[in-house]
mmCIF file of all heavy atoms in Angstrom:
data_model
loop_
_atom_site.group_PDB
_atom_site.id
_atom_site.type_symbol
_atom_site.label_atom_id
_atom_site.label_comp_id
_atom_site.label_asym_id
_atom_site.label_seq_id
_atom_site.Cartn_x
_atom_site.Cartn_y
_atom_site.Cartn_z
ATOM 1 N N LEU A 2 0.822 -1.196 0.000
ATOM 2 C CA LEU A 2 0.000 0.000 0.000
ATOM 3 C C LEU A 2 0.867 1.261 0.000
ATOM 4 O O LEU A 2 0.462 2.272 -0.557
ATOM 5 C CB LEU A 2 -0.944 -0.001 1.212
ATOM 6 C CG LEU A 2 -1.988 -1.127 1.232
ATOM 7 C CD1 LEU A 2 -2.834 -1.053 2.488
ATOM 8 C CD2 LEU A 2 -2.864 -1.108 0.016
ATOM 9 N N LEU A 6 0.485 4.337 -2.637
ATOM 10 C CA LEU A 6 0.296 5.748 -2.282
ATOM 11 C C LEU A 6 1.353 6.638 -2.930
ATOM 12 O O LEU A 6 1.045 7.730 -3.415
ATOM 13 C CB LEU A 6 0.323 5.920 -0.765
ATOM 14 C CG LEU A 6 -0.864 5.343 -0.008
ATOM 15 C CD1 LEU A 6 -0.604 5.373 1.499
ATOM 16 C CD2 LEU A 6 -2.130 6.093 -0.343
ATOM 17 N N LEU A 92 -3.820 13.672 2.252
ATOM 18 C CA LEU A 92 -2.731 12.905 2.850
ATOM 19 C C LEU A 92 -1.943 12.256 1.721
ATOM 20 O O LEU A 92 -2.487 11.481 0.936
ATOM 21 C CB LEU A 92 -3.295 11.843 3.796
ATOM 22 C CG LEU A 92 -2.282 11.023 4.578
ATOM 23 C CD1 LEU A 92 -1.453 11.926 5.500
ATOM 24 C CD2 LEU A 92 -2.985 9.955 5.392
ATOM 25 N N MET A 105 5.007 10.941 5.123
ATOM 26 C CA MET A 105 3.596 11.268 4.954
ATOM 27 C C MET A 105 3.465 12.778 5.112
ATOM 28 O O MET A 105 3.990 13.346 6.076
ATOM 29 C CB MET A 105 2.738 10.555 5.998
ATOM 30 C CG MET A 105 2.851 9.032 5.979
ATOM 31 S SD MET A 105 2.375 8.275 4.440
ATOM 32 C CE MET A 105 0.617 8.437 4.489
ATOM 33 N N TYR A 114 7.249 8.023 7.818
ATOM 34 C CA TYR A 114 6.292 6.936 7.615
ATOM 35 C C TYR A 114 6.299 5.961 8.788
ATOM 36 O O TYR A 114 5.255 5.598 9.299
ATOM 37 C CB TYR A 114 6.576 6.215 6.289
ATOM 38 C CG TYR A 114 5.625 5.085 6.032
ATOM 39 C CD1 TYR A 114 4.293 5.326 5.723
ATOM 40 C CD2 TYR A 114 6.045 3.765 6.118
ATOM 41 C CE1 TYR A 114 3.414 4.290 5.503
ATOM 42 C CE2 TYR A 114 5.172 2.725 5.887
ATOM 43 C CZ TYR A 114 3.857 2.991 5.584
ATOM 44 O OH TYR A 114 2.989 1.968 5.369
ATOM 45 N N GLU A 117 5.509 0.721 10.589
ATOM 46 C CA GLU A 117 4.905 -0.198 11.552
ATOM 47 C C GLU A 117 3.874 -1.050 10.828
ATOM 48 O O GLU A 117 2.933 -0.536 10.226
ATOM 49 C CB GLU A 117 4.230 0.573 12.687
ATOM 50 C CG GLU A 117 3.640 -0.338 13.729
ATOM 51 C CD GLU A 117 3.044 0.411 14.904
ATOM 52 O OE1 GLU A 117 3.184 1.636 14.956
ATOM 53 O OE2 GLU A 117 2.444 -0.238 15.753
ATOM 54 N N TYR A 118 4.054 -2.358 10.880
ATOM 55 C CA TYR A 118 3.136 -3.268 10.201
ATOM 56 C C TYR A 118 1.961 -3.573 11.115
ATOM 57 O O TYR A 118 2.143 -4.075 12.221
ATOM 58 C CB TYR A 118 3.856 -4.559 9.799
ATOM 59 C CG TYR A 118 2.952 -5.525 9.081
ATOM 60 C CD1 TYR A 118 2.479 -5.228 7.811
ATOM 61 C CD2 TYR A 118 2.545 -6.710 9.680
ATOM 62 C CE1 TYR A 118 1.639 -6.095 7.143
ATOM 63 C CE2 TYR A 118 1.710 -7.589 9.020
ATOM 64 C CZ TYR A 118 1.257 -7.277 7.752
ATOM 65 O OH TYR A 118 0.421 -8.129 7.098
ATOM 66 N N LEU A 119 0.759 -3.259 10.651
ATOM 67 C CA LEU A 119 -0.432 -3.453 11.467
ATOM 68 C C LEU A 119 -1.333 -4.558 10.944
ATOM 69 O O LEU A 119 -2.502 -4.619 11.280
ATOM 70 C CB LEU A 119 -1.215 -2.135 11.559
ATOM 71 C CG LEU A 119 -0.437 -0.994 12.208
ATOM 72 C CD1 LEU A 119 -1.217 0.308 12.099
ATOM 73 C CD2 LEU A 119 -0.143 -1.315 13.662
ATOM 74 N N GLY A 120 -0.801 -5.402 10.084
ATOM 75 C CA GLY A 120 -1.582 -6.523 9.595
ATOM 76 C C GLY A 120 -2.285 -6.215 8.290
ATOM 77 O O GLY A 120 -2.212 -5.119 7.753
ATOM 78 N N GLY A 122 -5.585 -6.032 7.510
ATOM 79 C CA GLY A 122 -6.998 -5.876 7.827
ATOM 80 C C GLY A 122 -7.716 -4.994 6.828
ATOM 81 O O GLY A 122 -7.097 -4.352 5.989
ATOM 82 N N PRO A 123 -9.033 -4.941 6.903
ATOM 83 C CA PRO A 123 -9.804 -4.100 5.985
ATOM 84 C C PRO A 123 -9.546 -2.617 6.252
ATOM 85 O O PRO A 123 -9.181 -2.223 7.355
ATOM 86 C CB PRO A 123 -11.262 -4.471 6.297
ATOM 87 C CG PRO A 123 -11.230 -5.035 7.673
ATOM 88 C CD PRO A 123 -9.882 -5.655 7.845
ATOM 89 N N ARG A 124 -9.734 -1.809 5.227
ATOM 90 C CA ARG A 124 -9.519 -0.370 5.337
ATOM 91 C C ARG A 124 -10.860 0.347 5.403
ATOM 92 O O ARG A 124 -11.855 -0.099 4.845
ATOM 93 C CB ARG A 124 -8.742 0.155 4.127
ATOM 94 C CG ARG A 124 -7.312 -0.315 4.023
ATOM 95 C CD ARG A 124 -6.447 0.193 5.153
ATOM 96 N NE ARG A 124 -6.442 1.621 5.230
ATOM 97 C CZ ARG A 124 -5.393 2.392 5.053
ATOM 98 N NH1 ARG A 124 -4.239 1.858 4.777
ATOM 99 N NH2 ARG A 124 -5.489 3.693 5.164
ATOM 100 N N LEU A 125 -10.841 1.495 6.057
ATOM 101 C CA LEU A 125 -12.012 2.349 6.130
ATOM 102 C C LEU A 125 -12.242 3.014 4.776
ATOM 103 O O LEU A 125 -11.285 3.394 4.097
ATOM 104 C CB LEU A 125 -11.757 3.429 7.194
ATOM 105 C CG LEU A 125 -12.861 4.431 7.490
ATOM 106 C CD1 LEU A 125 -13.998 3.713 8.215
ATOM 107 C CD2 LEU A 125 -12.325 5.547 8.358
ATOM 108 N N TYR A 135 -8.388 13.953 8.862
ATOM 109 C CA TYR A 135 -6.957 13.722 8.660
ATOM 110 C C TYR A 135 -6.174 15.033 8.746
ATOM 111 O O TYR A 135 -5.116 15.087 9.373
ATOM 112 C CB TYR A 135 -6.696 13.063 7.306
ATOM 113 C CG TYR A 135 -7.094 11.618 7.194
ATOM 114 C CD1 TYR A 135 -6.912 10.933 6.009
ATOM 115 C CD2 TYR A 135 -7.642 10.914 8.263
ATOM 116 C CE1 TYR A 135 -7.258 9.594 5.882
ATOM 117 C CE2 TYR A 135 -7.992 9.587 8.146
ATOM 118 C CZ TYR A 135 -7.795 8.939 6.947
ATOM 119 O OH TYR A 135 -8.138 7.620 6.818
ATOM 120 N N GLU A 160 -12.927 5.117 14.375
ATOM 121 C CA GLU A 160 -12.493 4.400 13.174
ATOM 122 C C GLU A 160 -11.639 5.296 12.281
ATOM 123 O O GLU A 160 -10.647 4.846 11.715
ATOM 124 C CB GLU A 160 -13.694 3.859 12.394
ATOM 125 C CG GLU A 160 -14.412 2.732 13.103
ATOM 126 C CD GLU A 160 -13.503 1.552 13.431
ATOM 127 O OE1 GLU A 160 -12.701 1.152 12.574
ATOM 128 O OE2 GLU A 160 -13.583 1.041 14.558
ATOM 129 N N SER A 161 -12.002 6.563 12.155
ATOM 130 C CA SER A 161 -11.203 7.488 11.332
ATOM 131 C C SER A 161 -9.823 7.684 11.931
ATOM 132 O O SER A 161 -8.826 7.698 11.213
ATOM 133 C CB SER A 161 -11.911 8.849 11.204
ATOM 134 O OG SER A 161 -13.114 8.715 10.493
ATOM 135 N N THR A 162 -9.747 7.820 13.241
ATOM 136 C CA THR A 162 -8.465 8.002 13.914
ATOM 137 C C THR A 162 -7.593 6.755 13.751
ATOM 138 O O THR A 162 -6.404 6.846 13.457
ATOM 139 C CB THR A 162 -8.690 8.324 15.408
ATOM 140 O OG1 THR A 162 -9.527 9.487 15.497
ATOM 141 C CG2 THR A 162 -7.373 8.586 16.105
ATOM 142 N N LYS A 163 -8.206 5.581 13.916
ATOM 143 C CA LYS A 163 -7.459 4.326 13.756
ATOM 144 C C LYS A 163 -6.977 4.151 12.308
ATOM 145 O O LYS A 163 -5.860 3.720 12.069
ATOM 146 C CB LYS A 163 -8.326 3.136 14.162
ATOM 147 C CG LYS A 163 -8.489 3.030 15.675
ATOM 148 C CD LYS A 163 -9.521 2.039 16.138
ATOM 149 C CE LYS A 163 -9.677 0.769 15.371
ATOM 150 N NZ LYS A 163 -10.734 -0.115 15.921
ATOM 151 N N ASP A 164 -7.803 4.527 11.331
ATOM 152 C CA ASP A 164 -7.404 4.384 9.944
ATOM 153 C C ASP A 164 -6.285 5.345 9.575
ATOM 154 O O ASP A 164 -5.390 4.992 8.812
ATOM 155 C CB ASP A 164 -8.594 4.600 9.013
ATOM 156 C CG ASP A 164 -8.302 4.131 7.612
ATOM 157 O OD1 ASP A 164 -8.118 2.915 7.422
ATOM 158 O OD2 ASP A 164 -8.222 4.989 6.707
ATOM 159 N N LEU A 165 -6.292 6.541 10.143
ATOM 160 C CA LEU A 165 -5.190 7.476 9.921
ATOM 161 C C LEU A 165 -3.893 6.888 10.450
ATOM 162 O O LEU A 165 -2.843 7.013 9.826
ATOM 163 C CB LEU A 165 -5.492 8.824 10.594
ATOM 164 C CG LEU A 165 -4.370 9.876 10.516
ATOM 165 C CD1 LEU A 165 -4.029 10.208 9.062
ATOM 166 C CD2 LEU A 165 -4.781 11.122 11.273
ATOM 167 N N ALA A 166 -3.964 6.211 11.572
ATOM 168 C CA ALA A 166 -2.763 5.576 12.136
ATOM 169 C C ALA A 166 -2.241 4.468 11.230
ATOM 170 O O ALA A 166 -1.042 4.203 11.199
ATOM 171 C CB ALA A 166 -3.071 5.012 13.523
ATOM 172 N N ASN A 167 -3.129 3.834 10.450
ATOM 173 C CA ASN A 167 -2.706 2.794 9.522
ATOM 174 C C ASN A 167 -1.973 3.369 8.316
ATOM 175 O O ASN A 167 -1.325 2.649 7.589
ATOM 176 C CB ASN A 167 -3.905 1.970 9.033
ATOM 177 C CG ASN A 167 -4.373 1.003 10.071
ATOM 178 O OD1 ASN A 167 -3.640 0.612 10.969
ATOM 179 N ND2 ASN A 167 -5.641 0.616 9.952
ATOM 180 N N GLY A 168 -2.104 4.686 8.091
ATOM 181 C CA GLY A 168 -1.400 5.325 6.985
ATOM 182 C C GLY A 168 -2.037 4.965 5.711
ATOM 183 O O GLY A 168 -1.647 4.907 4.655
#
Side-chain angles (χ1 to χ4, degrees):
L2 296 178
L6 290 171
L92 184 62
M105 302 300 286
Y114 180 70
E117 182 176 354
Y118 181 68
L119 299 173
R124 293 295 302 244
L125 182 70
Y135 287 179
E160 291 303 316
S161 295
T162 303
K163 286 170 36 181
D164 194 66
L165 176 60
N167 284 337

